[in-house]
Amino acid sequence: METSKTPTAQDWLRGWTLTYIPNEKEAERLAQRLHTHLKTNGLHDLQLSEEVRAELETLMGTAQDQNARSPATVVQEILSDHLPSETATAAAAPLAFRTLNQGERTLEVDVEQKMPPALATMIEKILRANITDDGVARIQTMYDELGPEGLRQWMLSAN
Protein backbone atom coordinates (compact mmCIF):
# COMPACT_ATOMS: atom_id res chain seq x y z
CA MET A 1 0.00 0.00 0.00
CA GLU A 2 1.39 3.37 -1.04
CA THR A 3 1.36 6.10 1.56
CA SER A 4 0.94 9.67 0.46
CA LYS A 5 3.39 12.13 1.90
CA THR A 6 1.84 15.20 3.46
CA PRO A 7 3.09 18.30 1.63
CA THR A 8 5.48 20.55 3.53
CA ALA A 9 6.26 24.24 3.37
CA GLN A 10 9.26 23.38 1.20
CA ASP A 11 6.98 21.57 -1.26
CA TRP A 12 4.80 24.69 -1.43
CA LEU A 13 7.90 26.79 -2.07
CA ARG A 14 8.91 24.60 -5.02
CA GLY A 15 5.49 25.05 -6.59
CA TRP A 16 5.48 28.78 -5.84
CA THR A 17 8.89 29.21 -7.51
CA LEU A 18 7.82 27.20 -10.58
CA THR A 19 4.86 29.56 -10.96
CA TYR A 20 7.27 32.38 -11.73
CA ILE A 21 10.40 30.60 -13.08
CA PRO A 22 9.55 28.29 -16.04
CA ASN A 23 12.98 26.59 -16.11
CA GLU A 24 12.51 23.71 -13.63
CA LYS A 25 16.21 23.25 -12.87
CA GLU A 26 16.71 26.94 -12.09
CA ALA A 27 13.40 27.14 -10.22
CA GLU A 28 14.60 24.30 -7.99
CA ARG A 29 17.93 26.06 -7.44
CA LEU A 30 16.15 29.27 -6.43
CA ALA A 31 13.74 27.31 -4.25
CA GLN A 32 16.70 25.86 -2.38
CA ARG A 33 18.07 29.36 -1.81
CA LEU A 34 14.68 30.58 -0.62
CA HIS A 35 14.40 27.53 1.64
CA THR A 36 17.03 29.20 3.81
CA HIS A 37 14.61 32.10 4.18
CA LEU A 38 11.97 29.65 5.41
CA LYS A 39 14.41 28.13 7.90
CA THR A 40 15.09 31.59 9.32
CA ASN A 41 11.37 31.97 9.92
CA GLY A 42 10.94 28.43 11.24
CA LEU A 43 8.62 27.35 8.41
CA HIS A 44 10.69 24.89 6.37
CA ASP A 45 9.52 21.54 7.84
CA LEU A 46 5.96 22.45 8.73
CA GLN A 47 3.16 20.35 7.34
CA LEU A 48 1.19 22.37 4.82
CA SER A 49 -2.03 23.32 6.59
CA GLU A 50 -4.20 26.24 5.51
CA GLU A 51 -2.63 28.34 8.26
CA VAL A 52 0.92 27.52 7.09
CA ARG A 53 -0.06 28.18 3.46
CA ALA A 54 -1.48 31.58 4.44
CA GLU A 55 1.70 32.42 6.39
CA LEU A 56 3.87 31.41 3.43
CA GLU A 57 1.81 33.49 1.02
CA THR A 58 2.18 36.47 3.35
CA LEU A 59 5.91 35.90 3.80
CA MET A 60 6.82 35.21 0.16
CA GLY A 61 4.16 37.35 -1.51
CA THR A 62 2.50 37.15 -4.88
CA ALA A 63 2.83 38.97 -8.20
CA GLN A 64 -0.22 41.03 -7.22
CA ASP A 65 1.46 42.47 -4.10
CA GLN A 66 2.01 46.20 -3.93
CA ASN A 67 5.81 45.67 -3.80
CA ALA A 68 5.89 43.18 -6.70
CA ARG A 69 8.39 44.17 -9.41
CA SER A 70 9.38 42.86 -12.80
CA PRO A 71 13.02 42.05 -13.58
CA ALA A 72 13.05 44.99 -16.03
CA THR A 73 11.88 47.32 -13.26
CA VAL A 74 14.57 45.96 -10.94
CA VAL A 75 17.26 46.65 -13.56
CA GLN A 76 15.88 50.12 -14.24
CA GLU A 77 16.07 50.92 -10.51
CA ILE A 78 19.67 49.68 -10.32
CA LEU A 79 20.75 51.52 -13.48
CA SER A 80 19.04 54.72 -12.34
CA ASP A 81 21.68 54.93 -9.61
CA HIS A 82 24.34 55.23 -12.35
CA LEU A 83 22.69 56.54 -15.54
CA PRO A 84 20.20 59.16 -16.67
CA SER A 85 16.60 57.99 -16.49
CA GLU A 86 16.10 57.67 -20.26
CA THR A 87 19.22 55.51 -20.63
CA ALA A 88 18.24 53.31 -17.67
CA THR A 89 14.75 52.87 -19.14
CA ALA A 90 16.08 51.93 -22.59
CA ALA A 91 18.59 49.44 -21.18
CA ALA A 92 16.43 47.84 -18.49
CA ALA A 93 14.47 45.14 -20.36
CA PRO A 94 17.28 44.00 -22.68
CA LEU A 95 19.78 43.83 -19.81
CA ALA A 96 17.32 41.88 -17.65
CA PHE A 97 16.67 39.52 -20.55
CA ARG A 98 20.38 38.98 -21.26
CA THR A 99 21.23 38.42 -17.61
CA LEU A 100 18.33 36.12 -16.75
CA ASN A 101 17.51 34.35 -20.01
CA GLN A 102 20.78 33.80 -21.82
CA GLY A 103 23.74 31.63 -20.97
CA GLU A 104 24.02 28.48 -18.90
CA ARG A 105 21.54 29.40 -16.19
CA THR A 106 18.56 30.75 -18.04
CA LEU A 107 15.45 31.33 -15.95
CA GLU A 108 13.19 31.64 -19.02
CA VAL A 109 11.23 34.48 -17.42
CA ASP A 110 9.20 37.24 -19.00
CA VAL A 111 11.26 40.24 -17.88
CA GLU A 112 8.20 42.51 -17.97
CA GLN A 113 6.11 40.23 -15.70
CA LYS A 114 5.80 41.30 -12.08
CA MET A 115 7.24 38.90 -9.52
CA PRO A 116 6.52 38.57 -5.81
CA PRO A 117 8.67 40.76 -3.54
CA ALA A 118 10.78 37.85 -2.21
CA LEU A 119 11.61 36.65 -5.72
CA ALA A 120 12.17 40.17 -7.06
CA THR A 121 14.64 40.79 -4.24
CA MET A 122 16.51 37.58 -5.06
CA ILE A 123 16.60 38.51 -8.74
CA GLU A 124 17.82 41.98 -7.77
CA LYS A 125 20.83 40.37 -6.07
CA ILE A 126 21.59 38.35 -9.21
CA LEU A 127 21.24 41.39 -11.47
CA ARG A 128 23.14 43.79 -9.20
CA ALA A 129 26.12 41.40 -9.15
CA ASN A 130 26.25 41.51 -12.96
CA ILE A 131 26.17 45.29 -13.36
CA THR A 132 29.66 46.82 -13.37
CA ASP A 133 30.94 50.37 -13.71
CA ASP A 134 32.53 49.47 -17.06
CA GLY A 135 29.26 47.95 -18.25
CA VAL A 136 27.29 51.02 -17.19
CA ALA A 137 29.77 53.30 -19.01
CA ARG A 138 29.46 51.14 -22.15
CA ILE A 139 25.66 51.31 -21.98
CA GLN A 140 25.78 55.11 -21.85
CA THR A 141 28.26 55.28 -24.74
CA MET A 142 26.11 53.02 -26.90
CA TYR A 143 22.97 54.97 -25.97
CA ASP A 144 24.69 58.20 -27.01
CA GLU A 145 25.82 56.64 -30.32
CA LEU A 146 22.76 54.55 -31.22
CA GLY A 147 19.78 56.01 -29.36
CA PRO A 148 17.25 53.99 -27.38
CA GLU A 149 16.22 51.45 -30.05
CA GLY A 150 19.78 50.97 -31.25
CA LEU A 151 20.87 50.36 -27.66
CA ARG A 152 18.16 47.71 -27.21
CA GLN A 153 19.20 45.95 -30.40
CA TRP A 154 22.90 46.15 -29.51
CA MET A 155 22.29 44.76 -26.02
CA LEU A 156 20.28 41.83 -27.30
CA SER A 157 22.83 40.93 -29.96
CA ALA A 158 26.13 41.69 -28.18
CA ASN A 159 28.09 38.81 -26.67
Side-chain angles (χ1 to χ4, degrees):
M1 183 172 141
E2 186 178 313
T3 60
S4 64
K5 179 183 159 213
T6 304
T8 64
Q10 186 171 4
D11 296 327
W12 179 90
L13 183 60
R14 280 188 191 102
W16 178 86
T17 307
L18 278 168
T19 300
Y20 302 102
I21 307 293
N23 181 320
E24 287 185 41
K25 181 180 175 185
E26 290 304 308
E28 181 63 32
R29 188 175 66 81
L30 286 173
Q32 288 299 323
R33 289 177 66 186
L34 287 168
H35 185 244
T36 303
H37 188 62
L38 291 181
K39 282 184 178 180
T40 303
N41 291 282
L43 298 172
H44 64 290
D45 287 330
L46 293 176
Q47 300 299 313
L48 195 59
S49 65
E50 285 305 313
E51 295 82 22
V52 171
R53 183 184 312 272
E55 182 66 26
L56 285 167
E57 288 173 357
T58 299
L59 179 67
M60 303 308 290
T62 70
Q64 288 74 42
D65 286 356
Q66 181 178 356
N67 295 327
R69 299 178 291 163
S70 70
T73 300
V74 169
V75 170
Q76 183 175 359
E77 291 168 359
I78 295 167
L79 291 178
S80 292
D81 293 341
H82 308 280
L83 294 167
S85 176
E86 61 277 357
T87 307
T89 299
L95 185 56
F97 182 85
R98 280 186 57 129
T99 305
L100 299 174
N101 292 334
Q102 293 181 343
E104 289 181 32
R105 293 182 133 167
T106 179
L107 299 182
E108 300 172 8
V109 296
D110 174 352
V111 298
E112 299 290 347
Q113 178 184 346
K114 284 189 173 185
M115 297 194 163
L119 195 52
T121 299
M122 178 170 275
I123 285 176
E124 181 176 6
K125 290 177 184 176
I126 293 167
L127 293 168
R128 195 172 288 279
N130 285 291
I131 296 174
T132 65
D133 289 340
D134 289 344
V136 168
R138 184 77 172 142
I139 288 169
Q140 185 62 57
T141 299
M142 297 309 289
Y143 181 86
D144 293 342
E145 290 177 14
L146 304 172
E149 187 55 37
L151 174 67
R152 286 184 192 98
Q153 291 174 10
W154 173 77
M155 291 184 77
L156 292 172
S157 65
N159 290 326

